[in-house]
Every structure is written in structure tokens, then in C-alpha cells.
Amino acid sequence: MVKPEIPNNEQQRLEALKSFNILDTLEEKEYDAITRIAADICNTPMALVSLVDEGRQWFKSHHGLDATETPRDLAFCAHAINTPDSLLLVHDASKDERFSDNPLVTGGPSVQFYAGAPLNTKDGESIGTLCVIDTKPRAEFTERQQASLKDLADQVMAQLELRRQHIKEKIVNEELRIKNNQLKQLSYRMAHDMKTPLLGISSVVGFIKEDYTEFFKDTEIPNYLGIIDNRVEYMESLINGIINYNAITNADIKVENFNVSKELQHVLNTQSGHDTVQLHLENCNHNIKHSLNSFDQIFRDLISNSIKFTDKSDIEINVSFSEDQNFYSFTFEDNGPGIPEKYWEKVFVLFEKLGTEDTKDTGIGLTTIKELIEKLGGSITLSKRKDNKEGVHFSFTVSKNLS
């Protein structure tokens, strides 16, 4: 018996094998189906998906054979990985000097014929074989059978690559989950650590205004104090916006049944200044099953913006609803000052603003809406109102399938 040689790239080969995290796992129907098909095409009683590690060959699938592994020194497959570009064919093992006195030949399972197609990674490491075995010698193994065995070996590798990709995705998702949790903690910490000194600044300014008015009533100091108040208000709005953005984009989606019209009216009634708004609804009296929290957040922010950025005493908001097989669609428009077309893309970018003086505008609100809508499998666009009326016109969709 001739022991199999150790490949020159043994270390890289073993690292590649371990990267699939496949050794000593349970049987899987995908691999069992391949060995069953291989045995049928090649007309053999046995077929194996064999993976060769440091000291053994281990069978991920073993059609027609009860054993799950053998020592590497006895393995036909350990020879096959040394010729990764071709099949290893042994027509009569009892007459082959490499295997004639091999215990796998002279005893169970009485290997007489062997054909092994190497399992090669994309980088060229051969980690094992898909092989077929017969208990009697065979003079013929057709080109068609050889080609089929190679094709099936490629399918084994495709399954292994999918497995490895799935493992990588799980690792990335877990890392993202950890980072998201860290981001949440940062938000909460920021809320405490940054709001507290801002509150102190605001309080000091208030004390100065109350106790020392007479000392600087004819100076520029009141204007300076007003600027400080203005900046504190902006920072508070910015902090609250960031906290809200992180909370919304990282929240789990919970699906509920609700009526669109009733929920829109409820959202409006919770807004400060809602008594100045006339809400017009078109085709909204429909019951849908979707994320109620997300629905409320989207329209709460849109309505809040309409109230916040409109100086009119009679604010008009129009909302329409439609649906098709895959999406719920909404339009939202108001009669406010609108947004110039040159800013339509800019307003959806985090921290981008139309101006720098307004403490109401942090550049977070519409970004939050866009992120939430995309999280719901939809999209949002900004366009002109019909007949070039003054105001904004948003159109957005959300997917019906949130699973």
C-alpha cells in the first residue's frame, strides 16, 4: 500500500476546509441527494461526499455505506486531492500497487472500483471529493459518467460556498446587531450627558435675564443672550432628532390591523397646533395590516413639518391612499411654503438643511422618514403640486410583505 502524499498547499487547504465549518455536522438532504444521484448515474452501490482533514477522511454524505470516516492514510480520496484538475480513476484496486493491500480493499467495504472528482474551492484548494465506489472491478467508466460526476462535484462546492456565505452573513449581522446596540447606548448617554449642560446654560441665561436686566438694558447683551437661547434650542432639537432617528431605524417592525382614515385623524389630534389644520382625506377609509408604529411616525413627522414650517393660520393637508398587489401608496401635500426643486434630493440627506438660521430645522426629520420607508420596503419622492400650487407634495410606497 502506498500512503497518499501531503499536498504542497496543505496548510492553505486545511484553512479552506475549516472555513466551511462543515466537519462533524449532521447529515443534510442537499448532500444526500447529490450522492444518491451520483450512485444512480454511475451505477455504483456507494457514493460519498468525502472531506479530508489532518488525519482522516470524513463523510458529509455516505450513500450505501454505514461508516462516517476512515483514517487518512487509507483514504482513496487523500490521493485524489493531489490531482485537483482531474478525476482519480481506479478500475481494479486489487491490481493497483497503491491500494492492493489496503484494508478498505481486502476487507470491508471491499472497494474494487473507485472514481473521485476533487472538490476544489475558487482559490484552487482541493478539500475532498465526490466519489463513487463499486465492490467489483470495472473496465469502463464512460465519459458521460465522468462528466456527470464532475458536474455533481461542482454542485457540492456550490452548496458549501452557500454555507460559507451564510456563516459570513450571520457573523456580519451579529456584528451589526452589536454595533446597533452600542449606537443605542450612545444615544441614551448623549441624551443625558449633553442635555444636562444645555439645561444648565439655559437656566443661567434665564437667571441673567431676570436678575440683571437693568444693568444691560441699553446694551447688546440681550441680543447675545437671545443668540445663546437660540443655539441651545437648536442643540436640544438636534439631540432629540438623533435619538429619534436611531430609535426608529433600529426598532423592530410589528404588524397590526388599523383603519388609515381613523389613524391619520388620531395622529393629527396628537399634534401641537392641530386646531389650525384642515385635513382632507381621499380614499383613506380602508383597513390595512401593516406597521402601525411606523405609519404613525411617518405621518407624525410630515404633519409636524407642515405645522412647524408654515406661518399660515389655515393650514391645509391632503392625504390620498391607493394599493396594488405588492404596495400601499400614499401622497401627502400641504399649502405651506414648499421646498425649491434644487433641494429635493438634499432634504433627504442626514443633517442637510435649507438654511442655517432656523432652529426648527435640524436636517434629520425627512432623513428619518426616508430611512423608515426604505426599511418598510418602499421609497419616497418629492415633486410639485398640481397646477404649481404652493406647498409640498410627497409620494411614497411601503411594501405589503414585511416578513
Side-chain angles (χ1 to χ4, degrees):
M1 185 183 79
V2 178
K3 290 185 179 181
E5 295 181 1
I6 301 299
N8 293 330
N9 64 341
E10 177 70 357
Q11 189 58 41
Q12 294 90 337
R13 194 191 69 78
L14 291 174
E15 289 175 1
L17 174 59
K18 291 177 181 178
S19 72
F20 293 103
N21 197 29
I22 190 76
L23 293 173
D24 299 309
T25 57
L26 297 175
E27 295 179 7
E28 296 178 53
K29 62 180 181 180
E30 291 83 2
Y31 300 95
D32 290 343
I34 292 174
T35 53
R36 185 174 63 251
I37 294 170
D40 185 58
I41 291 175
C42 298
N43 193 28
T44 60
M46 290 172 278
L48 309 170
V49 172
S50 173
L51 302 170
V52 181
D53 70 5
E54 292 94 336
R56 61 173 177 161
Q57 65 170 349
W58 175 80
F59 308 138
K60 176 59 181 174
S61 178
H62 46 102
H63 177 79
L65 185 68
D66 291 333
T68 58
E69 63 180 66
T70 70
R72 180 170 177 173
D73 287 347
L74 305 181
F76 284 57
C77 299
H79 289 270
I81 62 174
N82 285 302
T83 56
D85 296 328
S86 60
L87 293 177
L88 174 63
L89 290 176
V90 180
H91 294 280
D92 188 348
S94 65
K95 297 180 180 178
D96 190 309
E97 63 179 6
R98 294 170 297 177
F99 307 108
S100 58
D101 56 349
N102 188 312
L104 300 179
V105 177
T106 59
S110 187
V111 177
Q112 300 299 311
F113 169 81
Y114 172 93
L119 300 175
N120 299 325
T121 68
K122 294 178 180 178
D123 295 324
E125 294 95 357
S126 187
I127 60 173
T129 72
L130 171 66
C131 64
V132 291
I133 298 170
D134 204 339
T135 57
K136 56 187 178 181
R138 291 178 53 168
E140 183 180 9
F141 190 60
T142 68
E143 291 185 2
R144 181 178 179 182
Q145 289 172 322
Q146 293 182 43
S148 296
L149 191 61
K150 289 180 180 178
D151 290 342
L152 289 172
D154 290 341
Q155 291 304 307
V156 172
M157 285 308 306
Q159 290 293 327
L160 290 172
E161 290 291 349
L162 285 174
R163 178 189 182 86
R164 182 160 62 179
Q165 185 61 34
H166 180 63
I167 291 171
K168 289 180 180 179
E169 289 175 358
K170 286 180 66 176
I171 293 172
V172 170
N173 288 337
E174 179 61 17
E175 290 176 347
L176 286 175
R177 185 190 67 80
I178 293 172
K179 293 296 183 184
N180 283 336
N181 285 337
Q182 292 174 341
L183 190 59
K184 289 180 184 179
Q185 295 301 318
L186 175 63
S187 298
Y188 299 141
R189 186 65 181 265
M190 184 170 61
H192 180 270
D193 290 355
M194 294 187 69
K195 278 189 172 183
T196 299
L198 287 176
L199 179 61
I201 293 171
S202 183
S203 298
V204 170
V205 170
F207 294 151
I208 294 173
K209 286 181 178 179
E210 183 176 344
D211 297 339
Y212 299 96
T213 302
E214 291 299 320
F215 290 94
F216 50 69
K217 64 180 180 180
D218 295 325
T219 69
E220 291 295 316
I221 293 178
N223 291 334
Y224 298 149
L225 293 176
I227 292 173
I228 294 174
D229 268 339
N230 184 277
R231 292 296 89 191
V232 168
E233 181 183 351
Y234 172 74
M235 283 298 297
E236 288 179 337
S237 297
L238 187 62
I239 291 169
N240 290 332
I242 293 172
I243 293 170
N244 189 48
Y245 174 83
N246 288 332
I248 290 170
T249 54
N250 289 293
D252 294 332
I253 295 175
K254 181 182 178 182
V255 174
E256 302 176 55
N257 291 304
F258 60 93
N259 181 272
V260 174
S261 181
K262 291 180 179 179
E263 196 59 33
L264 285 169
Q265 192 62 57
H266 168 73
V267 171
L268 173 61
N269 291 339
T270 62
Q271 295 283 336
S272 175
H274 67 87
D275 52 338
T276 64
V277 176
Q278 298 180 40
L279 180 63
H280 304 287
L281 304 179
E282 180 182 346
N283 193 41
C284 289
N285 189 23
H286 289 273
N287 295 319
I288 66 174
K289 187 175 183 180
H290 211 262
S291 172
L292 178 58
N293 287 340
S294 300
F295 179 91
D296 285 355
Q297 185 66 50
I298 292 167
F299 280 101
R300 187 183 301 119
D301 285 355
L302 288 173
I303 293 172
S304 175
N305 283 347
S306 294
I307 297 173
K308 187 164 47 176
F309 296 113
T310 302
D311 296 328
K312 296 179 180 179
S313 58
D314 54 340
I315 302 171
E316 293 185 2
I317 294 177
N318 305 314
V319 179
S320 70
F321 169 81
S322 62
E323 63 178 304
D324 59 24
Q325 184 176 355
N326 299 312
F327 294 94
Y328 294 123
S329 300
F330 299 88
T331 65
F332 178 97
E333 60 182 27
D334 65 23
N335 63 338
I339 299 174
E341 187 171 353
K342 63 181 179 179
Y343 296 121
W344 284 357
E345 294 297 328
K346 181 180 180 180
V347 294
F348 292 114
V349 178
L350 191 62
F351 301 128
E352 288 285 357
K353 307 182 293 181
L354 303 189
T356 58
E357 302 300 324
D358 195 342
T359 59
K360 302 174 185 177
D361 186 9
T362 60
I364 299 176
L366 286 177
T367 306
T368 303
I369 292 173
K370 181 175 182 289
E371 291 285 342
L372 184 51
I373 288 173
E374 291 179 348
K375 183 178 179 180
L376 298 171
S379 60
I380 183 169
T381 57
L382 178 59
S383 60
K384 293 181 180 179
R385 295 185 66 189
K386 290 182 179 179
D387 302 324
N388 287 324
K389 291 181 180 179
E390 186 180 39
V392 296
H393 178 96
F394 292 100
S395 300
F396 67 91
T397 61
V398 290
S399 174
K400 288 184 174 181
N401 182 17
L402 296 182
S403 58

